[in-house]
Amino acid sequence: MIDKLEFFIALAREEHFGRAAEVCGVTQPTLSAGIKQLEGQLGVMLVLRGSRFQGLTPEGEQVLVWARRIVGDSRTMREEMRAARHGLSGRIRIAAIPTALAMVARLTTPFRAKHPGVTFSVLSRTSIEVLSLLGNFDIDAGITYLDNEPLGRVTSVPLYDERYQLITAVGNPYSDRDKVTWGELSQLPLCLLTPDMQNRRIIDQHLAEAGTQVRPTLESNSMIVLFSHIRTGKWSSIMPLNLSETFGFSEPIRAIPIVEPDASHTVGLVATPREPHTPLVSALLDEAMALADDFRARH
C-alpha cells in the first residue's frame, strides 16, 4: 500500500506517467498497474485517463491529502527506527530563497559536526516554490520569509530580520552618504532580483510606499549575477544587510543603509506541521533555534 501511495503522489506531482515512473525507479506499466490496484482497493477512480494524464478526480484529490500524510508517517517511523539503531543519518533536503543562501552554512556546518552521518541537499528556490516543495514532501525544510506573504500551516523558527542596504561603487551617486532614503533610489541604474522573487516584491513595495518606482536595467534570479555586475562599478543594487555582511563588501564597493522607512522582514526555517517530526527535521529545528539565539546575540 505504501509503495502504491508513493506512486500516486509522484504521478500527482509530475503529471506524467513516464516521469513519475522514472522518479519512483520503476517501469511505466508497473506504476500504472500499482495505481489501478490502489483504485481497486479504495473502490474509486483516482486519475482521469486519456491518451495521457488529465488530472485527478475529486476523490483523487482527497486521497492525495491522505497519501501524503500516510507516506510522511511511514518515513518518520523508518527514520526513527534507523536513528534508534545507528544515530542520525540520511539526507536533509533544504530549499532556500536566494537572499538566505549565504547563511545556510551557519545552519548545516554545526549540524553536521554533531551528526557526521547526515548529508545535505540545498536548492535555491522562490518563496512560493519553497512552500510547494514542502507541501509535496519534496524537501524536509525551507528557509523563507515568515511575515510578508501568507505561509499556510507550517512549523516555523524565526532566524533573523532582513534589513536593506544600497550596494554601490565609490564615485556613484550617494556613495559618500551614511544613509539613503527609498525615495532617492529611482535615479540609480539598479540590478535586482526578478519579480517572481519575494525579495523583489518587498523592494517594489517599499519603493511604492515612498512614492517612487524603479525600472532596473538588469534583472536576474541569481545573486552571483547581481554581485558580478555590482563589482563593475556601473550598477547598484538593493540587498539585505546580512548578505552584504556575509560577502564582506569592501572598497570600492560601499553598503549604505536605506531609511524612511528602516524596513525589516523576518526570515526563518519552515517545516511541515506534523507531530512527531522525523528525527532529522526535529534536530534541524533545534539547530535553527540555536542559530536564532546566535543572530540575536550578534545584533
Side-chain angles (χ1 to χ4, degrees):
M1 174 67 83
I2 297 295
D3 287 345
K4 293 167 190 170
L5 291 174
E6 289 193 338
F7 290 172
F8 180 57
I9 291 170
L11 178 60
R13 181 178 62 245
E14 299 297 328
E15 299 183 343
H16 187 280
F17 281 93
R19 288 196 300 269
E22 186 176 349
V23 166
C24 293
V26 298
T27 64
Q28 184 171 329
T30 297
L31 182 130
S32 296
I35 290 176
K36 285 183 179 178
Q37 290 167 10
L38 181 62
E39 289 177 321
Q41 288 174 299
L42 297 176
V44 293
M45 278 191 61
L46 303 177
V47 180
L48 298 171
R49 294 178 178 84
S51 58
R52 62 187 66 184
F53 177 84
Q54 295 180 348
L56 302 182
T57 64
E59 294 83 2
E61 296 287 356
Q62 288 180 277
V63 170
L64 181 60
V65 175
W66 282 100
R68 287 170 174 162
R69 188 181 306 171
I70 293 167
V71 169
D73 286 343
S74 172
R75 290 173 181 170
T76 299
M77 179 183 68
R78 289 197 298 266
E79 283 195 21
E80 282 193 359
M81 295 306 99
R82 186 173 65 230
R85 292 195 308 272
H86 307 297
L88 282 184
S89 62
R91 178 178 293 271
I92 296 180
R93 302 160 300 167
I94 300 171
I97 56 175
T99 56
L101 285 171
M103 57 71 55
V104 174
R106 295 190 57 184
L107 184 66
T108 55
T109 303
F111 186 98
R112 194 165 185 278
K114 297 172 187 172
H115 310 290
V118 175
T119 59
F120 296 89
S121 171
V122 180
L123 305 173
S124 175
R125 293 291 185 266
T126 68
S127 56
I128 293 172
E129 289 171 334
V130 168
L131 295 178
S132 176
L133 291 168
L134 197 63
N136 289 330
F137 295 96
D138 291 326
I139 56 173
D140 302 295
I143 299 175
T144 187
Y145 295 101
L146 302 185
D147 62 354
N148 185 58
E149 295 179 359
L151 288 174
R153 291 184 64 249
V154 296
T155 297
S156 63
V157 177
L159 293 174
Y160 60 88
D161 288 332
E162 187 178 85
R163 286 183 164 81
Y164 306 96
Q165 296 189 319
L166 170 65
I167 311 299
T168 193
V170 171
N172 284 342
Y174 311 130
S175 64
D176 59 344
R177 301 266 291 271
D178 293 325
K179 58 186 177 182
V180 63
T181 69
W182 289 94
E184 293 174 315
L185 300 179
S186 62
Q187 306 304 314
L188 299 173
L190 292 174
C191 56
L192 299 174
L193 287 172
T194 49
D196 60 325
M197 300 291 177
Q198 192 172 167
N199 171 267
R200 172 64 183 281
R201 296 195 292 274
I202 287 172
I203 288 171
D204 287 347
Q205 171 191 331
H206 290 305
L207 289 167
E209 289 170 351
T212 190
Q213 185 178 14
V214 300
R215 289 183 174 81
T217 52
L218 183 141
E219 297 176 322
S220 176
N221 63 358
S222 166
M223 299 304 299
I224 297 300
V225 171
L226 300 189
F227 288 138
S228 65
H229 282 79
I230 292 166
R231 291 193 181 280
T232 67
K234 305 299 183 183
W235 270 275
S236 301
S237 190
I238 301 169
M239 291 188 177
L241 169 63
N242 67 291
L243 198 60
S244 62
E245 288 180 340
T246 299
F247 283 90
F249 287 118
S250 57
E251 298 293 348
I253 305 298
R254 292 204 62 216
I256 304 165
I258 304 174
V259 297
E260 297 181 22
D262 178 13
S264 69
H265 293 275
T266 303
V267 174
L269 186 81
V270 293
T272 52
R274 58 182 304 111
E275 289 294 341
H277 290 289
T278 67
L280 285 174
V281 171
S282 182
L284 188 66
L285 289 168
D286 288 342
E287 195 64 50
M289 287 186 276
L291 178 58
D293 290 339
D294 181 50
F295 274 121
R296 280 192 293 270
R298 289 178 60 240
H299 294 285

